[in-house]
Amino acid sequence: MKPKILVVDDEAPIRNMLAFSLNRAEMEVDVAADGDQALARLDGAPRPDLIVLDWMMPGLDGLQLTRTLRGRDDLCDIPIILLTARGNERDRSQGLDSGADDYVVKPFSTRELISRVRAVLRRARPATPAANGESPDAGRSAEAGDPMRIQVGELTIDVESRRALAGQRPLSMGPTEYRLLRLFMRHPGRAWSRGQLLTELWGDDRAVEERTVDVHIRRLRKALEPTGHAGYVQTVRGHGYRFSDVV
């Protein structure tokens, strides 16, 4: 099936150009002219597989919409790519901290954007078992070889439903944070460098920088805070991070 993409931009020429290019890339596209219209689309239509979202819009802007979606249990796991002309490091960090999964600076080529869309979709989708029962991504996908349930302390990952739980309480987090938590819980106590985490979660996507790992670590800790489990994500000074229920 074609992936469903929601394009949100207040400028009609950009909206139309993105819709045309994504359609040519064999993706099904819906459009919205602002954040409020996007919310109406999300509440009244089948969920998109990914949202391409302009940051600077009148009314509910892209950053505000991203935070709104990440705060809703029914929409928090939809991947989001932010588009913006604001390209300095502080703005990039702000965009990722808000909950975006990727960040594309204007001006950009449609080829670059389509590549980013495909990369984020690959990261967000669960691995599909092959005919021999093995994952086609075995050896390079963090999902390969997962048991149906993974548990560390009071935290559980239900692989089939792609849910993270603290006891019986579902945890609200984005797709990248879910994948990061799943990787950590498959290897409790292991110390990971930022480079290793980049390889495991982003593969050969060279556009992703090591500091992106720190952003997603902060987002994961924030998702674990309401149930008192943020301390499970531990900093290993001079190296990276580990995950352990021994705090």
Side-chain angles (χ1 to χ4, degrees), residues 5-17:
I5 312 297
L6 175 61
V7 173
V8 187
D9 197 299
D10 62 314
E11 297 185 45
I14 294 178
R15 220 167 41 238
N16 295 337
M17 178 268 291

Side-chain angles (χ1 to χ4, degrees), residues 52-217:
V52 176
L53 176 60
D54 187 38
W55 182 337
M56 303 298 292
M57 295 185 294
L60 189 68
D61 67 22
L63 219 57
Q64 293 167 329
L65 179 58
T66 299
R67 290 171 177 151
T68 298
L69 298 180
R70 291 296 178 246
R72 286 184 49 169
D73 290 340
D74 58 332
L75 301 173
C76 67
D77 60 341
I78 301 175
I80 296 171
I81 296 179
L82 272 180
L83 307 179
T84 180
R86 304 171 64 163
N88 63 47
E89 183 173 348
R90 180 178 178 182
D91 290 329
R92 286 176 181 269
S93 295
Q94 187 179 5
L96 292 170
D97 277 336
S98 72
D101 295 276
D102 203 352
Y103 187 106
V104 178
V105 179
K106 299 177 180 178
F108 55 85
S109 69
T110 54
R111 178 177 297 180
E112 176 193 2
L113 179 65
I114 289 168
S115 294
R116 296 289 191 94
V117 167
R118 287 172 172 158
V120 173
L121 285 172
R122 283 196 302 270
R123 298 199 297 262
R125 286 175 173 169
T128 302
N132 62 2
E134 294 183 355
S135 166
D137 295 324
R140 58 189 179 87
S141 170
E143 295 198 11
D146 270 355
M148 297 309 292
R149 292 177 73 87
I150 311 168
Q151 187 162 2
V152 175
E154 299 174 343
L155 297 180
T156 302
I157 289 283
D158 186 315
V159 175
E160 186 173 18
S161 65
R162 292 177 62 81
R163 292 197 308 163
L165 305 101
Q168 298 300 312
R169 178 178 173 180
L171 297 169
S172 177
M173 65 184 67
T176 303
E177 287 69 57
Y178 167 81
R179 294 174 64 246
L180 179 58
L181 178 62
R182 187 190 60 234
L183 176 66
F184 276 149
M185 290 178 62
R186 290 179 68 221
H187 305 278
R190 172 176 171 174
W192 297 84
S193 70
R194 290 170 178 82
Q196 289 171 329
L197 291 173
L198 276 177
T199 299
E200 289 289 334
L201 269 68
W202 285 272
D204 58 357
D205 188 350
R206 297 179 182 178
V208 181
E209 302 171 4
E210 283 198 359
R211 60 186 174 80
T212 301
V213 171
D214 299 326
V215 171
H216 289 289
I217 289 288

